Amino acid sequence: MPSYAIVTNDLQVAAATLNEERKRAVAAFLPRQKALLDGLRALDVPVIHLQLVVSDDDPRNATTPDELRYTRGSAGVRLLDETLAESDLVIEKPKDSGFFETTLDETLKKLGVDTVIISGMQAQICVQTTAADAHFRGYRVVIPTDCIVSSNPEDTKQALKWMSEYFATLLPSDEIEQLVRAGRDE
């Protein structure tokens, strides 16, 4: 029987409010993301949020407003309230992939997870690199096609194509809940 966890990428104020295109994309995807998180929590699937946190001396900070910064304590680094629950785990990451210099792999192993559901922002960057790194570490990877987003829909389309051709199972979020339920009934 598969053991699942959902891993979100960059559900943060700075990522959600970067520009008007991103705000529109996030407004469209966030209700489905929230529904998937709530549905999986109800099935006792661990929820792990990857939170991008960069160092204070990152050169981008000099010209970036506080609400768009990813530094500890900034307005932008905060996770979106509507995606959080008390039972969720949060793992800070310094770069795009959730596995780079983090405790994600160790956490997944402690939880006995063999299948990761990866969602969140910037399909072609953080979602794709985290998913690839999960695959390289031996995890099965499932991508909820309606719970990843980029400012440019073409970027999302290309990321989905690459991941599906290389290593990932792509499903709409409602089918992922069914997959988890069915795995428990085996």
Side-chain angles (χ1 to χ4, degrees):
M1 176 171 81
S3 178
Y4 296 92
I6 183 165
V7 177
T8 73
N9 280 273
D10 307 340
L11 297 180
Q12 296 171 252
V13 171
T17 61
L18 178 64
N19 54 40
E20 290 307 313
E21 292 85 13
R22 181 75 57 81
K23 288 176 186 176
R24 282 191 293 275
V26 170
F29 117 103
L30 203 51
R32 291 186 302 273
Q33 175 72 73
K34 184 176 174 350
L36 178 61
L37 291 170
D38 291 343
L40 292 176
R41 285 181 192 112
L43 295 170
D44 295 321
V45 172
V47 174
I48 302 170
H49 297 285
L50 297 173
Q51 181 181 32
L52 180 62
V53 179
V54 301
S55 67
D56 291 333
D57 62 356
D58 188 301
R60 295 170 290 191
N61 290 330
T63 58
T64 305
D66 187 61
E67 67 275 4
L68 296 179
R69 287 186 185 177
Y70 291 95
T71 52
R72 188 170 281 98
S74 68
V77 79
R78 282 189 11 259
L79 291 165
L80 300 173
D81 291 336
E82 60 266 46
T83 65
L84 288 170
E86 196 172 307
S87 61
D88 296 352
L89 302 172
V90 177
I91 296 176
E92 291 183 4
K93 63 177 187 164
K95 298 285 184 190
D96 300 331
S97 172
F99 287 94
F100 180 78
E101 296 182 359
T102 72
T103 60
L104 180 58
D105 191 40
E106 177 184 325
T107 300
L108 292 169
K109 285 178 178 161
K110 281 182 184 174
L111 293 170
V113 170
D114 59 20
T115 305
V116 290
I117 302 161
I118 300 177
S119 67
M121 286 196 243
Q122 290 310 87
Q124 80 285 11
I125 303 171
C126 297
V127 171
Q128 187 170 307
T129 59
T130 299
D133 281 351
H135 167 72
F136 298 148
R137 285 166 175 78
Y139 296 97
R140 287 190 297 272
V141 177
V142 179
I143 304 292
T145 55
D146 53 346
C147 291
I148 65 169
V149 70
S150 296
S151 297
N152 180 347
E154 188 59 31
D155 290 340
T156 301
K157 181 179 171 185
Q158 288 301 317
L160 287 170
K161 181 179 186 302
W162 182 79
M163 289 186 287
S164 71
E165 290 175 354
Y166 189 31
F167 58 80
T169 300
L170 275 53
L171 295 169
S173 56
D174 60 336
E175 289 184 28
I176 290 173
E177 286 185 55
Q178 293 171 14
L179 178 73
V180 172
R181 254 189 226 97
R184 301 228 166 132
D185 294 338
E186 291 178 348

